[in-house]
Amino acid sequence: MKTITRAFALVAALVLALGLAACGDDEDSASSTGAATSESAATASFPVSVKHKFGTTEVPSEPKRVVVVGYTELDAVLALGVTPVGTRDFLGGYDWRKRPWAKDFPTDIPSIGGQEINYESVAARRPDLIIALNTGMQKADYERLSKIAPTIAQSGDFIDFGMPWDAQLKLIAKALGRDQRADEVITEVKAKFAAAREEHPEFEGKDAILAYGGPDGYGAYASADTRSRFFADLGLKTPAKVDELAGKSFYTEFSQEQFRLMDQDLVVMFGPEKDIEANKVMRRLQALKDDRIVYLDLGDQFSGALGYSSPLSLPWLLDNELDTLQAAIDGDPATKVVQPQ
């Protein structure tokens, strides 16, 4: 089994071969902990119609019991002032309940499943709205969820797992009737990105690659991948060849003959440092010799924040990890890159 390809290309990207089959018993009743939404802050009039890749969903009234079936939309819902009554577990070994960027938000939200959606658990939460953007689901899965409650999926304008954080927030806000709050959050986060670019002009126009690697395979993520968009928002560029190889996917695998594609101004890699640096082809790369590589473990905070790429986690990255990127991109081997923990 290609563990690195699956773990870092698929699980890290929150994509699985999703049959979304129902499994297991409901772990807690709909009346247990996991409070409904916060006091109403909706500014829109209901009903509202929300367009997405599978059609249009009508939300008849302000949702009071929201269930998050996507892997990362929890942050967007919380940022809009709503506490879901159930949420999907984040995969890949990261403890999502200990997200430092969400320490002021509830952490006791009941889980409705991880690798596969537990439909019985979703239904037991008695939702009046299901948010299922970052799922990679097929239309049959959407239709099954829609029988439980009105369900919104990601926009069809983007590849799966490639919808930008602000577009996700606006779509979710429309369903919740909180468009005004979404605009406020987007303005705040974009202002932080603008300040970061001004403070770090060394990022502008440099080539950066978000990759993965280890004993079972190597590859990289396209510019349309949600996480790659973080680097683009800092002024960095994904190599065009990566997008060409990825085609309509969010990532591409590399043969050893293509390893030179990882020789960029900045390299951010999911994978064990010792395994990657033991690869004789990787050792030939100037990026490795110049200490331009940032290594991410799936359980560290940098990896988790990048995985969520949310209006809550992105500001945390800007506040906590830019020095790491700066040390790697300066091209000076004498500048020690302190790897994320």
Side-chain angles (χ1 to χ4, degrees), residues 214-288:
D216 296 304
Y218 284 77
Y221 301 96
S223 61
D225 178 84
T226 303
R227 294 157 306 168
S228 293
R229 293 182 186 277
F230 168 71
F231 301 101
D233 286 342
L234 288 173
L236 296 155
K237 300 184 301 180
T238 297
K241 186 64 176 179
V242 173
D243 286 345
E244 179 184 329
L245 292 171
K248 294 182 179 181
S249 178
F250 63 93
Y251 81 104
T252 180
E253 297 180 2
F254 284 162
S255 65
Q256 293 207 10
E257 290 75 19
Q258 296 167 320
F259 274 23
R260 285 292 176 189
L261 282 172
M262 288 186 282
D263 218 348
Q264 304 298 334
D265 298 315
L266 172 67
V267 183
V268 181
M269 289 199 71
F270 293 103
E273 180 177 358
K274 63 180 180 61
D275 290 338
I276 292 169
E277 296 196 351
N279 185 293
K280 62 182 181 181
V281 181
M282 284 293 299
R283 288 202 303 271
R284 297 176 192 159
L285 300 185
Q286 196 63 40
L288 192 149

Side-chain angles (χ1 to χ4, degrees), residues 154-163 222 224-225 247-251:
Q154 75 161 65
S155 167
D157 295 333
F158 307 95
I159 63 171
D160 284 354
F161 301 101
M163 191 173 181
D225 178 84
K248 294 182 179 181
S249 178
F250 63 93
Y251 81 104

Side-chain angles (χ1 to χ4, degrees), residues 89-331:
D89 289 330
F90 188 91
L91 298 184
Y94 180 73
D95 187 352
W96 64 271
R97 294 189 186 276
K98 296 181 179 179
R99 309 186 315 289
W101 57 88
K103 62 181 184 299
D104 296 328
F105 294 91
T107 60
D108 59 348
I109 302 167
S111 166
I112 51 87
Q115 181 168 332
E116 295 180 340
I117 297 175
N118 185 326
Y119 289 95
E120 287 81 2
S121 185
V122 173
R125 303 311 305 165
R126 294 189 289 107
D128 49 20
L129 177 68
I130 297 172
I131 297 175
L133 275 62
N134 293 311
T135 64
M137 66 182 178
Q138 303 300 309
K139 188 170 184 179
D141 308 309
Y142 164 75
E143 290 175 345
R144 186 170 181 182
L145 287 170
S146 295
K147 291 179 180 178
I148 299 173
T151 300
I152 60 171
Q154 75 161 65
S155 167
D157 295 333
F158 307 95
I159 63 171
D160 284 354
F161 301 101
M163 191 173 181
W165 68 269
D166 51 342
Q168 291 188 47
L169 188 67
K170 292 182 78 168
L171 189 150
I172 293 169
K174 186 172 181 62
L176 295 173
R178 302 195 176 207
D179 308 79
Q180 182 177 327
R181 177 56 185 156
D183 290 340
E184 294 169 353
V185 172
I186 289 169
T187 297
E188 293 168 4
V189 176
K190 289 192 173 182
K192 285 190 71 72
F193 270 107
R197 290 179 76 149
E198 184 175 350
E199 184 178 349
H200 294 276
E202 67 274 15
F203 295 152
E204 197 68 36
K206 295 288 183 65
D207 290 318
I209 189 167
L210 180 62
Y212 65 90
D216 296 304
Y218 284 77
Y221 301 96
S223 61
D225 178 84
T226 303
R227 294 157 306 168
S228 293
R229 293 182 186 277
F230 168 71
F231 301 101
D233 286 342
L234 288 173
L236 296 155
K237 300 184 301 180
T238 297
K241 186 64 176 179
V242 173
D243 286 345
E244 179 184 329
L245 292 171
K248 294 182 179 181
S249 178
F250 63 93
Y251 81 104
T252 180
E253 297 180 2
F254 284 162
S255 65
Q256 293 207 10
E257 290 75 19
Q258 296 167 320
F259 274 23
R260 285 292 176 189
L261 282 172
M262 288 186 282
D263 218 348
Q264 304 298 334
D265 298 315
L266 172 67
V267 183
V268 181
M269 289 199 71
F270 293 103
E273 180 177 358
K274 63 180 180 61
D275 290 338
I276 292 169
E277 296 196 351
N279 185 293
K280 62 182 181 181
V281 181
M282 284 293 299
R283 288 202 303 271
R284 297 176 192 159
L285 300 185
Q286 196 63 40
L288 192 149
K289 296 174 183 177
D290 290 348
D291 198 19
R292 299 200 301 261
I293 302 180
V294 176
Y295 297 96
L296 301 182
D297 181 89
L298 290 178
D300 68 38
Q301 298 295 356
F302 193 135
S303 177
L306 197 58
Y308 271 85
S309 286
S310 73
L312 299 183
S313 72
L314 292 173
W316 185 91
L317 281 172
L318 295 175
D319 288 339
N320 292 275
E321 300 295 354
L322 293 191
D323 288 346
T324 299
L325 300 183
Q326 181 185 34
I329 208 170
D330 69 358

